Amino acid sequence: REKYPDAILVDAGDFSMGSLFQTAYPTSALELRMMGAMGYDATTFGNHEYDYLSSGLCDMLYAALDSGDSVPAILEANFLPPEDAAEVWEAYDAYGVEPYMLMERGGVAYAIIGLSGYDCRDCAPSSGMVLEEPAAAAQRTVDEAVAAAKAQFGREPVVVCLSHSGTEDGMGEDYELAQAVTGIDLIISGHSHSTYEAPIVVGDTWIVSAGCYGKNLGVVKLTVNGGNVAFTGYELIPIDEDVADDPEIAALVEQYKTEVENGYLADYGMTFDQVLVENPYKFDDSGDVKRTAHESTLGNVFSDAYKWAVEQATGEEVDLALTASGVIRETIPVGSVRVSDIFNAASLGVGTEGELISIYVTGSDLMNVFEVDASVYPLMHDAQLFCAGAEYRFNTNRMIFNKVDYAMLRRNDGSLEPIDPDGLYRVVTGTYAGQMLGNVEATSMGLLTITPRERDGTPIDPARLLEYVVRDENGVPVKEWYAIASYLDRMGDEMDPHYAEPDGRKVLYSSWNPVKLLKNPNKFTWIALAALVLVVLIVVGIVKLVRWIVRKIRHKR
């Protein structure tokens, strides 16, 4: 601001979830109030703003207003409540949620719009909101905003789109948005956590993304001449230890920490910066757990903690505990591991702070769980799974959906037990990963089925998974973060050396050996073999037919 006093400051959504401060989301709106203190002009909703469901979102909006603090404008054009959701619309109207806003600063007129994409909707299955087709909504909103700006300011505005849609490797929903919509000068691209050192240029539109978790401040420089916008620069400024704390903001952080400790952590007998364990080992970071298929010691800690915590809470053995790479948000640091570190790493949950659920699956579906890890991960890196209670192996060269050639349950005493295809097994996972597994059949177009069941085998509607949250003897839900924190705290002074390296619970290998390729075939391999045999027969038949025709022609000659 000292260098560019006329700059505007905006955010592309997911401003609320991922740290202990989110526990005060519906009651105190700490994130919005902090953004107001930092001088943010505008933001939009991301999928995580719906993690406390629409009721929690409404409570947060009212809490922000009741605080009396300065807060940023919230813009949302196309992911909105249904017409009959009167209470949500009342909260939106009270706060002033609008499709766009107009502002003037430094002699430049701006029209800023908020937009959500398809994947944002898919990542907020319990939001209760309805998505309008993004490109159509964006074009309508841009046209309305530009017309309003001309009427108010007498000139063309710079059009900025705060889009929670995302890009991957320079492509994706925001790239398609820039192609489909005319009139957008700049897209601030959120959702995908992409970090671009240079803008993506699509026609006259720039797309920029500064990554996630406040690690960078993205700076776009532009000049305006009449109705023409010219971009003259773009850079990322790292927000690291070289950036001095602002005393006022630092004091506010400490104030908010105290509020979280008194209002939330006290119930768990923990404090914000409490040290749980000293860790000498380097675990995967949140990118490493997705980058390659592998057994991750970080994933092992998570899944082992879930299994241990639920067994402690219920007194019953858990057959399998799971976590997915897509829900691991941060790593366990080297050195002192604090309560806040663990919450940051395991903070996702729908309507919760990441609660554990317990369901049952058949042995056949349990094998499909491992197949999701082996076959779906190459298509969707968030789907890599890490488990406790089993060991399995897969050949990356085998037929898709039949890559796993070995799987056994690994009991608490270290013994191995075969998986009965018709048996029922207790599975524990977080709410996010549970919803993903519950929707495997739909997302795989029926090729893989994982049906969550009651203890007696009755199928469970995936939409009802939140009803199966694990509770301790006092009826308190078992949180993912608390399971991990308690598991580490029980280790004493130092991280268990068992986590210094993988223990072989997931083994990957690549082989073209025919025996290994065809060992333990399932229906997918049989179908592929049948198709191959059919192709061979057709080719042989065609060759025979051609030879017969050639002989006939020669005989006729």
Side-chain angles (χ1 to χ4, degrees):
R1 289 199 178 94
E2 290 177 1
K3 193 172 182 179
Y4 305 109
D6 295 327
I8 65 171
L9 181 61
V10 294
D11 173 83
D14 276 358
F15 55 79
S16 57
M17 298 297 156
S19 75
L20 268 166
F21 298 109
Q22 78 182 54
T23 60
Y25 174 83
T27 58
S28 301
L30 298 182
E31 297 89 357
L32 270 184
R33 291 163 61 193
M34 178 62 77
M35 292 172 75
M38 294 170 68
Y40 274 85
D41 294 296
T43 186
T44 188
F45 292 131
N47 51 288
H48 289 300
E49 270 66 73
Y50 307 103
D51 282 359
Y52 283 94
L53 312 181
S54 59
S55 58
L57 176 62
C58 292
D59 290 340
M60 185 272 294
L61 294 176
Y62 285 123
L65 292 175
D66 292 343
S67 72
D69 292 344
S70 174
V71 290
I74 298 178
L75 309 174
E76 180 58 66
N78 70 317
F79 195 37
L80 296 167
E83 291 183 3
D84 59 353
E87 292 183 357
V88 185
W89 280 112
E90 288 173 6
Y92 277 33
D93 291 341
Y95 187 93
V97 178
E98 297 287 350
Y100 67 88
M101 67 178 288
L102 305 178
M103 62 181 296
E104 186 177 32
R105 184 168 296 163
V108 177
Y110 295 93
I112 308 173
I113 72 172
L115 200 74
S116 296
Y118 291 109
D119 196 62
C120 173
R121 174 201 61 191
D122 295 343
C123 291
S126 302
S127 69
M129 304 296 162
V130 179
L131 183 77
E132 180 186 354
E133 198 279 317
Q139 190 65 71
R140 183 193 69 250
T141 307
V142 167
D143 293 344
E144 291 177 1
V146 169
K150 287 180 178 178
Q152 181 172 337
F153 304 120
R155 60 189 183 280
E156 291 268 356
V158 176
V159 178
V160 179
C161 177
L162 310 180
S163 176
H164 204 77
S165 304
T167 60
E168 292 286 351
D169 299 322
M171 305 297 285
E173 289 191 53
D174 280 325
Y175 184 88
E176 295 165 1
L177 181 72
Q179 289 182 311
V181 179
T182 58
I184 299 178
D185 297 302
L186 180 66
I187 296 176
I188 310 295
S189 180
H191 186 55
S192 57
H193 295 195
S194 302
T195 304
Y196 294 121
E197 299 287 343
I200 302 168
V201 181
V202 183
D204 295 328
T205 303
W206 269 26
I207 305 172
V208 296
S209 184
C212 55
Y213 309 135
K215 292 178 180 177
N216 297 292
L217 176 67
V219 180
V220 176
K221 301 175 185 177
L222 57 87
T223 60
V224 179
N225 184 10
N228 298 318
V229 178
F231 294 104
T232 58
Y234 170 66
E235 65 176 319
L236 298 180
I237 300 175
I239 306 300
D240 54 24
E241 63 276 2
D242 293 332
V243 179
D245 283 351
D246 177 87
E248 180 181 345
I249 296 298
L252 200 54
V253 170
E254 293 303 317
Q255 174 189 323
Y256 288 174
K257 279 186 181 181
T258 301
E259 186 169 335
V260 168
E261 287 182 340
N262 295 337
Y264 182 77
L265 288 176
D267 292 340
Y268 297 91
M270 292 185 171
T271 58
F272 204 101
D273 293 319
Q274 175 184 338
V275 176
L276 299 166
V277 71
E278 294 294 330
N279 172 40
Y281 311 116
K282 187 179 188 309
F283 288 98
D284 289 340
D285 66 30
S286 56
D288 292 334
V289 294
K290 301 179 185 181
R291 199 164 288 119
T292 61
H294 66 299
E295 180 189 338
S296 167
T297 52
L298 180 64
N300 289 352
V301 171
F302 277 45
S303 54
D304 286 349
Y306 297 167
K307 188 175 191 297
W308 172 84
V310 172
E311 289 176 345
Q312 291 290 309
T314 64
E316 298 180 353
E317 186 172 4
V318 171
D319 295 308
L320 190 76
L322 292 168
T323 192
S325 57
V327 303
I328 298 177
R329 313 304 279 185
E330 284 287 357
T331 191
I332 296 175
V334 173
S336 298
V337 181
R338 304 178 188 278
V339 169
S340 56
D341 295 323
I342 297 305
F343 193 97
N344 292 352
S347 55
L348 293 187
V350 179
T352 67
E353 293 86 42
E355 293 173 350
L356 292 172
I357 59 172
S358 173
I359 49 96
Y360 290 80
V361 301
T362 65
S364 295
D365 283 1
L366 194 60
M367 292 297 295
N368 284 344
V369 170
F370 303 137
E371 201 58 63
V372 166
D373 186 32
S375 292
V376 176
Y377 164 77
L379 307 174
M380 185 171 65
H381 285 192
D382 282 349
Q384 179 163 202
L385 300 178
F386 309 105
C387 75
E391 62 179 52
Y392 59 103
R393 179 184 65 217
F394 60 89
N395 182 354
T396 59
N397 291 338
R398 281 168 64 100
M399 179 70 188
I400 190 171
F401 301 139
N402 192 194
K403 293 184 180 293
V404 177
D405 59 16
Y406 164 84
M408 299 277 279
L409 292 179
R410 185 190 281 185
R411 294 306 187 183
N412 290 341
D413 61 4
S415 63
L416 298 178
E417 180 182 310
I419 297 172
D420 177 4
D422 298 318
L424 277 176
Y425 296 94
R426 189 184 187 198
V427 176
V428 165
T429 189
T431 51
Y432 256 60
Q435 286 187 327
M436 180 186 74
L437 291 175
N439 290 320
V440 162
E441 183 173 3
T443 55
S444 68
M445 296 176 290
L447 297 177
L448 287 178
T449 59
I450 300 174
T451 303
R453 298 176 184 273
E454 304 268 8
R455 187 188 293 265
D456 63 3
T458 304
I460 298 169
D461 182 350
R464 295 178 50 232
L465 282 178
L466 292 179
E467 299 174 18
Y468 295 84
V469 168
V470 179
R471 299 178 183 275
D472 65 16
E473 68 276 6
N474 298 316
V476 177
V478 180
K479 306 283 189 180
E480 292 181 62
W481 76 266
Y482 185 64
I484 303 169
S486 301
Y487 183 65
L488 296 181
D489 193 38
R490 67 181 279 276
M491 292 181 184
D493 294 333
E494 189 167 302
M495 178 72 69
D496 189 329
H498 176 73
Y499 297 108
E501 57 186 23
D503 63 12
R505 65 184 74 182
K506 177 165 76 170
V507 177
L508 293 73
Y509 73 101
S510 300
S511 174
W512 293 109
N513 183 314
V515 175
K516 295 183 181 296
L517 289 175
L518 299 176
K519 182 181 179 181
N520 298 329
N522 64 11
K523 63 181 180 181
F524 298 105
T525 296
W526 284 119
I527 291 171
L529 288 173
L532 179 61
V533 170
L534 180 61
V535 170
V536 170
L537 291 176
I538 291 173
V539 171
V540 170
I542 291 173
V543 170
K544 288 183 176 181
L545 178 61
V546 170
R547 286 178 176 175
W548 181 82
I549 293 172
V550 169
R551 285 198 302 269
K552 283 292 185 180
I553 292 173
R554 286 176 177 174
H555 179 72
K556 186 173 182 180
R557 286 178 177 174

